[in-house]
Amino acid sequence: MAAALGTGGRGQEAGQEKQAMQHKDPIAPERAEELKLKAKYPNLAQKPGGSDFLMKRLQKGQKYFDSGDYNMAKAKMKNKQLPSAGPDKNLVTGDHIPTPQDLPQRKSSLVTSKLAGARSTSILIGP
Amino acid sequence: MAVIWCFSQVKGAVDDDVAEADIISTVEFNHSGELLATGDKGGRVVIFQQEQENKTQSHSRGEYNVYSTFQSHEPEFDYLKSLEIEEKINKIRWLPQKNAAQFLLSTNDKTIKLWKISERDKRPEGYNLKEEDGRYRDPTTVTTLRVPVFRPMDLMVEASPRRIFANAHTYHINSISINSDYETYLSADDLRINLWHLEITDRSFNIVDIKPANMEELTEVITAAEFHPNSCNTFVYSSSKGTIRLCDMRASALCDRHSKLFEEPEDPSNRSFFSEIISSISDVKFSHSGRYMMTRDYLSVKIWDLNMENRPVETYQVHEYLRSKLCSLYENDCIFDKFECCWNGSDSIVMTGSYNNFFRMFDRNTKRDITLEASRENNKPRTVLKPRKVCASGKRKKDEISVDSLDFNKKILHTAWHPKENIIAVATTNNLYIFQDKMN
């Protein structure tokens, strides 16, 4: 089961080349990038690992004003994604108490993943 | 024996217009490798099953076809905080198979679910009170009794949620890991790790809590956690500061004090604004042997010997050429991308993803590495994948790609290696590629 990689570069040699370059100037690329960033954003906080930064990370997710706001946003998204369905002509109402068999099947409001769809390419490995 | 990788299959839509729900967020083989599960941003799980090996096609392994698909999580709304809870599946972990059914754990930011996937290939026929289509018969027409019998039917694969483990995490769950005792599992969020019993959903034990009393003093968060593959008392968790802590649950109920702390010393004069960000560990994985663990930070993969805490035993550069692009990678947020990593079955090769739909493999024995690409250009059956090379600077050779032409929107964050064979699953944004080694 253990298999050596047959193709591809010799990692060690490339590594040594990089090492040579870096010994000339070990942190130059990173520091140069830092200067670029500071030039663009002079008000940037000194410590990126500081508590503000981490607090932002803890609070990911879209904030809504309230649940009504959230439900409106969801409804708007759903309308965009699904094709509009016409009025259901088979709906049985009014003259008798419906039984489970009479009611129309609940329409799936969720779309199946394209990974499971018929359009995915699946190449048969033939002789 | 050298491994030569060939294209096998690709799953997913061809069109470039990617719906957010289709973004693949996790990929995981089960313990035998027969099943391959994917989770996406839309909260859906798709499970592929490997076909039984065909005797006439002895030079290839069975291909993976859709076995089951279901909606695991739905979007929710946290009323107290007015925050949306995404349905995105962060992780899937398979349980080892105990009976005919398959079980997996899937989690989003807040809730973990245990799903049972079972096959049904027989159904009872000949009920007394119901017709075959389910309608009830008029009881007055029933004059004899018969015993229903099971008759074969087309295979149906059903997924049902058996346990829902909710309300135990204030912050966002990043990892789940099943213990080698096959009875318990851990779930980790940014600040806490909880221990659950697979049978019990209304209680969970907190085993790590790094939340400071004063949030202003917050300096690091938990980024990943995993149980040791053999020692049921041992687990590790990684942090945003590049450290890994190993904890022993026998030592105390609350494992806030680590048993081992793995950290590579850094020369303070080498620090830059980016140092901490790129040292943040995005994934930690034990080797199958349990002797080593691998961590992935933004630019490298490191292998640690559990017996040595002060530095990794091996370090592999994934895309060192990005070090001189950190400014723009910070601006477009790519510097925060969370790449995963994985071991092959024999722990001799490790793999991780990169940008431009490239992925990298490092052979620990020969020290050779290779860069391959997941692309529809290599669509023909058994096409050998051509190694790729990125040119960092200077004269670009033919067939090399310059750093500036890399597509940073094409990220390979999730990869998985079959537990026994040389079969790998590589997820691009919305497609799943399966590659195999060339046989004969």
Side-chain angles (χ1 to χ4, degrees):
Chain A
M1 241 261 30
L5 291 171
T7 50
R10 292 208 146 269
Q12 216 165 23
E13 279 172 15
Q16 279 170 359
E17 271 172 28
K18 282 184 207 131
Q19 287 253 302
M21 252 177 59
Q22 282 190 310
H23 277 138
K24 265 186 9 200
D25 225 341
I27 40 86
E30 257 184 69
R31 282 279 164 80
E33 290 298 297
E34 183 173 356
L35 292 172
K36 243 193 261 175
L37 193 68
K38 294 249 161 84
K40 278 196 189 177
Y41 309 100
N43 296 326
L44 200 58
Q46 192 54 36
K47 250 177 64 92
S51 120
D52 282 343
F53 177 77
L54 286 175
M55 290 290 279
K56 222 170 60 159
R57 184 185 171 143
L58 294 181
Q59 181 112 323
K60 86 163 198 241
Q62 193 168 357
K63 213 167 165 78
Y64 291 88
F65 181 71
D66 62 10
S67 62
D69 185 20
Y70 170 75
N71 286 316
M72 291 290 287
K74 279 284 144 184
K76 220 190 284 179
M77 246 181 52
K78 274 227 168 90
N79 282 337
K80 266 193 244 157
Q81 277 191 351
L82 293 176
S84 52
D88 195 328
K89 295 186 179 68
N90 296 326
L91 203 59
V92 175
T93 56
D95 44 1
H96 68 278
I97 297 167
T99 55
Q101 289 91 300
D102 292 342
L103 289 174
Q105 280 287 353
R106 180 182 164 274
K107 285 200 191 67
S108 171
S109 54
L110 307 159
V111 184
T112 318
S113 164
K114 294 203 179 86
L115 289 184
R119 284 182 59 198
S120 68
T121 332
S122 205
I123 311 289
L124 259 181
I125 302 169
Chain B
M1 196 173 75
V3 180
I4 298 177
W5 290 100
C6 303
F7 172 84
S8 172
Q9 296 170 270
V10 61
K11 307 279 185 193
V14 190
D15 50 69
D16 282 330
D17 195 19
V18 183
E20 254 202 63
D22 293 325
I23 295 173
I24 299 172
S25 51
T26 185
V27 181
E28 188 84 355
F29 279 101
N30 76 337
H31 292 258
S32 65
E34 188 205 350
L35 299 177
L36 175 60
T38 61
D40 66 21
K41 212 160 182 236
R44 301 164 300 191
V45 170
V46 182
I47 301 175
F48 301 93
Q49 182 188 42
Q50 190 180 29
E51 260 180 20
Q52 291 301 316
E53 271 181 47
N54 198 328
K55 293 295 185 223
T56 62
Q57 291 184 357
S58 59
H59 46 262
S60 75
R61 296 188 188 83
E63 60 167 33
Y64 285 83
N65 298 316
V66 179
Y67 177 66
S68 171
T69 178
F70 54 93
Q71 186 78 32
S72 171
H73 287 71
E74 300 225 18
E76 285 175 72
F77 189 68
D78 181 340
Y79 294 94
L80 280 179
K81 298 181 191 163
S82 292
L83 281 175
E84 176 180 28
I85 300 172
E86 272 193 309
E87 67 274 35
K88 171 166 79 87
I89 309 294
N90 292 334
K91 285 279 154 40
I92 289 173
R93 289 287 181 262
W94 289 93
L95 265 69
Q97 193 172 10
K98 288 189 294 190
N99 52 37
Q102 299 280 354
F103 289 86
L104 61 78
L105 283 178
S106 69
T107 187
N108 70 347
D109 282 339
K110 298 286 183 180
T111 305
I112 306 130
K113 296 187 184 181
L114 176 70
W115 287 89
K116 175 180 180 180
I117 297 110
S118 47
E119 293 185 1
R120 196 199 290 255
D121 60 359
K122 292 182 269 290
R123 69 152 175 251
E125 286 176 16
Y127 283 108
N128 290 290
L129 300 175
K130 273 200 284 191
E131 301 287 0
E132 293 308 329
D133 61 8
R135 277 180 301 132
Y136 282 97
R137 293 169 69 184
D138 177 357
T140 58
T141 63
V142 179
T143 51
T144 58
L145 277 182
R146 56 186 174 171
V147 178
V149 289
F150 276 91
R151 292 247 147 77
M153 62 180 250
D154 286 340
L155 179 66
M156 201 164 76
V157 182
E158 301 168 313
S160 61
R162 303 304 283 178
R163 307 269 186 276
I164 297 184
F165 304 92
N167 302 320
H169 286 277
T170 309
Y171 303 99
H172 299 109
I173 298 173
N174 52 54
S175 314
I176 45 174
S177 177
I178 298 170
N179 202 346
S180 52
D181 65 10
Y182 300 154
E183 279 193 345
T184 58
Y185 75 94
L186 63 75
S187 58
D189 68 31
D190 291 313
L191 296 178
R192 298 191 177 102
I193 303 179
N194 293 331
L195 180 72
W196 301 83
H197 191 285
L198 285 164
E199 299 289 322
I200 299 168
T201 58
D202 63 357
R203 246 174 308 157
S204 150
F205 289 100
N206 178 244
I207 52 177
V208 172
D209 188 339
I210 65 168
K211 183 176 179 196
N214 180 1
M215 282 300 262
E216 296 283 305
E217 292 165 2
L218 183 66
T219 54
E220 64 183 323
V221 295
I222 296 169
T223 52
E226 193 176 63
F227 264 120
H228 189 276
N230 307 316
S231 302
C232 58
N233 51 285
T234 305
F235 66 93
V236 293
Y237 68 93
S238 58
S239 84
S240 53
K241 275 182 144 175
T243 64
I244 310 101
R245 287 172 176 81
L246 184 143
C247 301
D248 186 336
M249 296 195 291
R250 298 168 302 185
S252 68
L254 192 59
C255 296
D256 278 0
R257 270 213 307 260
H258 54 262
S259 297
K260 293 196 187 203
L261 174 67
F262 297 84
E263 186 173 17
E264 186 165 22
E266 196 193 49
D267 184 354
S269 66
N270 275 352
R271 278 192 76 81
S272 75
F273 175 84
F274 303 109
S275 299
E276 196 173 300
I277 303 176
I278 60 172
S279 71
S280 175
I281 292 171
S282 49
D283 195 15
V284 66
K285 291 260 170 51
F286 278 105
S287 64
H288 293 90
S289 64
R291 164 94 190 261
Y292 299 97
M293 68 178 171
M294 164 168 54
T295 57
R296 174 70 155 100
D297 52 72
Y298 190 61
L299 298 178
S300 68
V301 158
K302 294 179 180 169
I303 313 279
W304 303 78
D305 184 326
L306 291 192
N307 300 314
M308 188 160 76
E309 297 167 63
N310 61 0
R311 61 180 169 79
V313 288
E314 294 154 40
T315 301
Y316 300 104
Q317 301 301 334
V318 182
H319 36 217
E320 178 67 15
Y321 46 79
L322 295 184
R323 201 180 286 271
S324 52
K325 301 286 170 197
L326 292 178
C327 178
S328 32
L329 293 168
Y330 180 88
E331 290 180 290
N332 61 19
D333 273 353
C334 284
I335 205 174
F336 302 109
D337 285 336
K338 295 183 177 60
F339 291 95
E340 291 172 9
C341 53
C342 61
W343 299 83
N344 73 341
S346 60
D347 297 338
S348 60
I349 306 179
V350 297
M351 169 168 67
T352 190
S354 179
Y355 295 104
N356 210 68
N357 283 347
F358 286 173
F359 58 100
R360 305 264 284 136
M361 289 185 192
F362 302 94
D363 188 318
R364 299 176 62 212
N365 299 323
T366 65
K367 302 301 180 199
R368 293 172 93 118
D369 62 87
I370 189 169
T371 305
L372 297 171
E373 182 180 358
S375 139
R376 284 185 183 263
E377 272 176 39
N378 308 317
N379 251 1
K380 293 205 215 87
R382 291 202 297 163
T383 310
V384 172
L385 297 185
K386 196 172 108 166
R388 297 281 177 223
K389 190 130 167 48
V390 177
C391 166
S393 59
K395 260 192 100 172
R396 185 179 73 90
K397 298 197 197 103
K398 181 173 104 96
D399 284 350
E400 283 187 0
I401 296 148
S402 89
V403 188
D404 298 307
S405 339
L406 293 175
D407 188 344
F408 290 97
N409 289 318
K410 294 191 175 165
K411 338 176 183 234
I412 290 179
L413 304 173
H414 313 286
T415 59
W417 204 306
H418 189 288
K420 302 179 174 79
E421 310 284 343
N422 278 336
I423 302 174
I424 55 176
V426 173
T428 58
T429 307
N430 65 328
N431 286 168
L432 183 72
Y433 287 79
I434 299 172
F435 301 109
Q436 296 183 2
D437 65 349
K438 188 178 166 73
M439 293 172 83
N440 79 285

